[in-house]
Amino acid sequence: MKKKLTCFDFQTMKEEGRKVVLMTAYDYITAKLAEETGMDMLLVGDSLGMAVYGYPGTVPVTMDQCIVHAEAVRRGAPETFVIGDMPFGSYHAGVEDACRNAIRFYKEAGVDCLKLEGGKRVVPIIKAIVDDGMLLMGHVGLTPQSSGALGGFRAQGRTAEAAKAVVEDAVAVYEAGAFSVLVEGVPPEVTAAIRRSVPVPVYGIGAGDCDGQIMVCSDILGLFQAFTPKFVKRYGNLAEEYRKVFAAYSDDVRKGVFPGEEHLYRMDEGEAKKLLKGKNNRPAKK
Ligand code: KIV
C-alpha cells in the first residue's frame, strides 16, 4: 500500500535531487487513476473554472465549488498529498476570512495543504494560515487570478527588474512560512534565481527545471481544447477518443444495435410466459 508523503518527504526529495510529480485533479476517477500511477501530489486547482465549468478564467470559481471537487479527489486518492487551491475572493477580504476558508478546506475536504497566489502582498495571510497550523504552498510569477492586471496569461519576469520582483515575491512567501513555492510562467533564469534564494522545494509550471513539475491534467490528456499554453506537453489526445466513443455510441443507438443480447436482464422462461398470458399488463380496475 502506498504511504502518503509529507512535507518532510518533499524536503528530503529536494535535498536528494529526486523530482516530485504534481498534477491537477478535479474528480474521483482521475484522482484514483493518478494515485494508482504513483503521482506525488494532486492539486485541486482553481483551473477547474476553465477545465470543468467552461469559465473564461479562474476568477468566478467559488469556495463551495473547490470544496466539492476537493472532497471527490480526496475520496479517489486517500493516500496522496492533496492541495486545495484558494480561489479568488477566498483570501482577499482579510486574514480572518482567509483562515476561515482555509479551515473549511481542511475540515470539509480533508486536504493536506493549501495554495494561494501572490508574493509580498499576501504575506500576512500566509503567516496567519501557517500560524493556525496549516501547510501552505506559495504561487508566484504568472498568477492567473490576477491575469487581468497582468494584461492576460503572459509570462512574467522577462526583464531584470521584473525578474527581481518575482524572486523577491518567492522569498517573501518562503519567509512568511510557505513550505514550498510554485512558480508559473517565468524564464528558467528566474526559477534558478529563486532556487538559489529559498531552501524549500520550488515546483514549476512553464518555469524550466525545478524540484518538481506540475501540469493541468486536461492539458496533458489533450482534453482541454480552448487554448494550449506554450509550456504544455500533450501526452495524449483524449478529446479525439471522446469524439470517437460518442459517435460510435450514437451510431449504435440510432441503428438499434445497442443494447445487444449481452446487455439484457432476462426473465426465467416460466415468468416470461406468465407475463405473456395476461391480455394486457394494466392493473385490474377496482
Ligand atoms: O489552478 C491551477 O491549475 C494552478 C496551476 C496552474 C498550477 O494553479
Side-chain angles (χ1 to χ4, degrees):
M1 181 136 164
K2 189 183 167 193
K3 174 187 154 284
K4 196 199 279 187
L5 298 172
T6 68
C7 58
F8 299 110
D9 296 312
F10 296 124
Q11 188 65 36
T12 305
M13 287 169 85
K14 173 193 173 68
E15 282 153 21
E16 293 177 352
R18 286 187 284 141
K19 302 283 187 200
V20 172
V21 189
L22 304 93
M23 186 182 80
T24 66
Y26 317 109
D27 64 276
Y28 170 83
I29 291 176
T30 308
K32 192 165 184 329
L33 295 172
E35 179 158 298
E36 281 168 19
T37 55
M39 201 71 66
D40 296 312
M41 290 195 209
L42 290 174
L43 167 71
V44 186
D46 61 355
S47 49
L48 65 84
M50 292 167 285
V52 178
Y53 290 95
Y55 302 148
T58 58
V59 168
V61 174
T62 66
M63 251 329 271
D64 286 346
Q65 287 169 324
C66 289
I67 295 279
V68 166
H69 289 275
E71 280 182 300
V73 167
R74 176 79 292 161
R75 280 193 290 273
E79 297 305 324
T80 304
F81 190 91
V82 171
I83 309 159
D85 203 6
M86 304 277 293
F88 184 72
S90 69
Y91 55 101
H92 299 71
V95 164
E96 244 182 62
D97 198 42
C99 287
R100 196 175 306 115
N101 284 320
I103 290 167
R104 276 196 69 191
F105 252 132
Y106 265 71
K107 284 178 86 86
E108 296 175 37
V111 301
D112 300 294
C113 160
L114 304 156
K115 174 174 89 59
L116 58 81
E117 296 183 6
K120 290 178 198 155
R121 82 185 157 81
V122 290
V123 162
I125 308 284
I126 296 181
K127 278 189 176 156
I129 289 175
V130 172
D131 281 353
D132 275 350
M134 291 173 273
L135 269 182
L136 192 126
M137 176 186 284
H139 182 162
V140 300
L142 169 51
T143 45
Q145 289 174 11
S146 324
S147 59
L150 298 175
F153 294 97
R154 296 155 61 121
Q156 300 296 301
R158 297 182 89 170
T159 64
E161 195 187 341
K164 202 166 152 270
V166 177
V167 178
E168 283 171 5
D169 273 344
V171 172
V173 158
Y174 154 67
E175 286 177 349
F179 88 99
S180 62
V181 180
L182 178 85
V183 56
E184 175 169 356
V186 301
E189 294 84 354
V190 180
T191 309
I194 293 175
R195 293 180 79 197
R196 286 193 299 273
S197 309
V198 299
V200 293
V202 177
Y203 303 125
I205 175 164
D209 185 36
C210 285
D211 299 309
Q213 297 291 328
I214 180 161
M215 283 272 112
V216 170
C217 64
S218 45
D219 284 340
I220 57 173
L221 291 168
L223 265 180
F224 187 69
Q225 303 286 294
F227 60 91
T228 307
K230 177 182 168 63
F231 53 72
V232 167
K233 180 169 174 183
R234 278 192 174 176
Y235 289 84
N237 188 355
L238 256 64
E240 200 41 44
E241 293 302 314
Y242 272 43
R243 285 191 200 100
K244 275 190 208 155
V245 170
F246 297 159
Y249 165 61
S250 304
D251 210 37
D252 274 6
V253 171
R254 287 180 187 128
K255 285 181 183 151
V257 175
F258 175 81
E261 184 56 37
E262 67 277 29
H263 306 114
L264 304 181
Y265 297 104
R266 286 291 182 194
M267 295 171 83
D268 281 351
E269 230 174 276
E271 294 299 315
K273 274 184 189 153
K274 273 192 232 163
L275 179 72
L276 284 174
K277 256 189 198 161
K279 285 205 176 80
N280 61 50
N281 297 306
R282 278 187 227 125
K285 273 190 194 148
K286 281 190 187 151

